[in-house]
Amino acid sequence: MIDIKALRDNPDLYIQAAQNKRIAADVPRLLEVDRQLKDAKAKLQEIATEKNRIGKSIPKLAGAEKDAALESLSRMKRDEEASQEAVKQLQPEFDALMLQVPQPADPEVPVGKDDTENVELREEGEIRQFDFEPKDHVQLGLALDIIDIERGVKLAGTRNYFLKGDGALLHWAVLRFAVDFMVGRGYTPMSVPLLMRDEAMQGTGYYPGSEEQTYRVEKDELSLAGTAEVPLTAYHMGEIVQEQELPLKFVALSSCFRREAGAAGKDTYGLYRIHQFDKVEQVIVCKNSDEESAAFHEEIQANSEGVMQALGLPYRVVAVCTGDLGRGQAKKYDIEAWMPSRENYCETHSASKFYDFQARRMNLRYKETQTKKNRFCHTLNNTVIASPRVLIPLMELYQNADGSITVPEVLRPYMGGKEKIVAGS
């Protein structure tokens, strides 16, 4: 959520932000409702002050003066009820309009309509050139009997799968390595709940806007989280932490659930776009400092690149354009891994900076040590690794001519020292 005072001072900035992000937000109507709401609340305060003054004077009055004072109180009561009704009608509309207003992107963010206009910053690692006809991850997985999509679809519908044997072990190895990597960098490991109340979904910016992508448990009024970002960022929702506690650095491994609504017929092959996956997520909650946010944004990006480099996967980093940013994101980097079967770099990570957008929604604050003032925190998050999507480049780039898959060296300790996945193993 944005600061209404900032919007009042510079409405054009937020109108332009909505246009650049291609997000519907009626800023003029919000300003009009805000004005009416302020007037109604000011009127209520005036009435309360006047009622208090007249109430204190009545015991000293008599006759016509007392009658006039009582009549004034009666008239003010009617005015008070009218103003209260105005607030009752205006406040929900104000709140709804506020939730729609996007955070302006940082000035250096490229303006663009969608992900096709993201800007490549750099490429890392060497793309493997094969001296044999390579297989894609599904062909490899079926031949090695480590992936079963057919039975996943039979039991759970499209975009579902089984990983089995060494496929499951490779999947878990990637995730466990990523957790250990982050713990080694000082992040606190967290095991998180996945069923979220609406307050947490709204607080982190997923509602409104992502309802169609979310699995909803209507009977319990809960939602399955599509990322551990939600419970990690909302962990201190509604609290005031002490400045010396910051920064908070969390890492969590969780299952993630996404409906992929609107993706019918898109990326239906293999493990790229699926309904359920596992992800290691990193979240930082820090002081209200643009400089700190910028530094931590580079830190979480570096953490994810460190994992990719340890796995030996070639990738590129892109600056996400305005049209591909979410409502609360001020700036975002994507990491895209090279996937041979797709003949392209494809997204595997997103590092996002929010400033105080999420914290305002969640009322997440900290008390400054010197001033004793309460300030909204800043928040950031990034994927450390997500699987099984990352298994696509891992399997395809580490395959051998005989159909086996070499296990990356850093993952071998998590697979009992196994160096290769071979048929029948």
Side-chain angles (χ1 to χ4, degrees):
M1 185 177 294
I2 52 86
D3 182 353
I4 186 61
K5 293 179 182 178
L7 186 142
R8 291 170 187 154
D9 292 341
N10 191 0
D12 289 343
L13 175 66
Y14 294 90
I15 292 172
Q16 187 63 54
Q19 292 174 355
N20 288 346
K21 287 190 171 184
R22 303 170 73 86
I23 290 175
D26 194 343
V27 174
R29 176 58 184 167
L30 172 58
L31 288 171
E32 175 59 23
V33 172
D34 175 54
R35 183 192 63 77
Q36 294 178 19
L37 192 57
K38 283 177 61 182
D39 289 348
K41 289 180 176 179
K43 182 67 173 176
L44 283 173
Q45 184 59 49
E46 291 174 7
I47 292 172
T49 301
E50 185 65 10
K51 282 174 63 179
N52 185 56
R53 184 190 68 78
I54 293 175
K56 288 180 179 180
S57 70
I58 284 178
K60 304 174 185 178
L61 302 176
E65 286 184 332
K66 185 173 184 178
D67 291 341
L70 291 171
E71 174 58 30
S72 293
L73 283 177
S74 179
R75 183 175 63 254
M76 279 187 280
K77 181 175 177 59
R78 292 192 296 271
D79 291 344
E80 183 178 47
E81 290 173 350
S83 294
Q84 287 173 339
E85 181 62 24
V87 170
K88 182 180 177 181
Q89 296 296 323
L90 291 167
Q91 190 68 56
E93 184 179 3
F94 174 83
D95 293 341
L97 288 166
M98 279 288 285
L99 290 175
Q100 297 292 345
V101 180
Q103 167 137 259
D106 281 355
E108 69 268 24
V109 172
V111 176
K113 65 178 185 299
D114 55 32
D115 60 359
T116 63
E117 298 187 4
N118 292 342
V119 176
E120 180 180 307
L121 299 178
R122 53 190 164 83
E123 296 182 5
E124 301 286 348
E126 294 293 325
I127 295 174
R128 180 181 176 184
Q129 302 300 314
F130 293 94
D131 56 7
F132 60 91
E133 186 65 31
K135 298 177 181 177
D136 64 40
H137 68 286
V138 175
Q139 293 169 328
L140 288 164
L142 292 175
L144 294 169
D145 196 26
I146 60 175
I147 295 175
D148 191 334
I149 294 174
E150 182 178 349
R151 287 184 177 88
V153 172
K154 180 176 70 173
L155 297 185
T158 57
R159 302 184 189 275
N160 285 287
Y161 58 94
F162 279 93
L163 299 175
K164 54 189 294 192
D166 285 339
L169 292 177
L170 183 64
H171 167 72
W172 293 327
V174 168
L175 299 168
R176 290 162 61 199
F177 166 71
V179 170
D180 287 350
F181 184 92
M182 294 301 297
V183 171
R185 293 199 170 191
Y187 285 66
T188 301
M190 304 280 281
S191 177
V192 299
L194 299 177
L195 284 167
M196 295 284 102
R197 290 179 171 171
D198 288 351
E199 292 88 343
M201 298 295 288
Q202 180 174 296
T204 48
Y206 284 89
Y207 290 172
S210 295
E211 290 86 348
E212 285 301 306
Q213 299 298 337
T214 305
Y215 285 103
R216 179 76 172 166
V217 184
E218 294 288 355
K219 185 175 181 180
D220 301 297
E221 297 184 349
L222 298 170
S223 299
L224 278 168
T227 167
E229 171 200 340
V230 178
L232 288 180
T233 310
Y235 183 63
H236 285 289
M237 181 172 65
E239 298 179 20
I240 301 174
V241 300
Q242 298 302 310
E243 183 176 7
Q244 58 267 28
E245 296 178 66
L246 301 176
L248 299 169
K249 296 183 177 184
F250 299 130
V251 61
L253 163 58
S254 77
S255 294
C256 305
F257 304 88
R258 298 184 185 177
R259 293 185 62 238
E260 295 294 350
K266 182 180 180 183
D267 297 321
T268 57
Y269 183 76
L271 301 177
Y272 187 78
R273 192 178 298 276
I274 49 185
H275 290 309
Q276 178 182 338
F277 57 96
D278 293 307
K279 180 155 67 83
V280 180
E281 182 78 5
Q282 55 185 314
V283 163
I284 292 181
V285 179
C286 67
K287 291 188 291 187
N288 194 307
S289 161
D290 292 357
E291 293 75 19
E292 274 204 17
S293 274
F296 283 130
H297 196 202
E298 299 303 318
E299 177 180 312
I300 60 176
Q301 175 68 13
N303 290 338
S304 297
E305 291 193 52
V307 170
M308 294 293 280
Q309 290 163 8
L311 292 172
L313 297 177
Y315 64 90
R316 71 174 180 178
V317 178
V318 301
V320 175
C321 74
T322 55
D324 197 27
L325 286 179
R327 196 182 308 274
Q329 294 163 339
K331 184 178 180 180
K332 182 165 74 169
Y333 298 123
D334 276 358
I335 294 175
E336 299 177 347
W338 179 259
M339 300 186 184
S341 62
R342 298 172 67 87
E343 299 181 339
N344 206 348
Y345 289 102
C346 300
E347 181 197 335
T348 53
H349 301 68
S350 292
S352 302
K353 178 175 67 173
F354 290 85
Y355 295 129
D356 63 2
F357 182 88
Q358 292 178 317
R360 283 182 178 276
R361 286 176 168 235
M362 295 184 296
N363 197 25
L364 169 57
R365 295 169 291 168
Y366 69 97
K367 185 177 292 292
E368 289 185 324
T369 302
Q370 289 189 337
T371 67
K372 304 302 180 185
K373 291 182 179 179
N374 295 330
R375 302 196 67 190
F376 288 108
C377 299
H378 281 188
T379 61
L380 308 95
N381 66 70
N382 190 13
T383 312
V384 183
I385 207 73
S387 185
R389 180 176 287 191
V390 77
L391 298 188
I392 298 174
L394 269 177
M395 293 171 64
E396 294 179 357
L397 289 168
Y398 278 93
Q399 66 178 292
N400 303 302
D402 62 1
S404 65
I405 298 172
T406 298
V407 177
E409 189 170 347
V410 294
L411 300 183
R412 293 173 189 173
Y414 301 92
M415 296 189 66
K418 181 169 290 192
E419 296 182 5
K420 282 188 178 182
I421 299 174
V422 300
S425 63

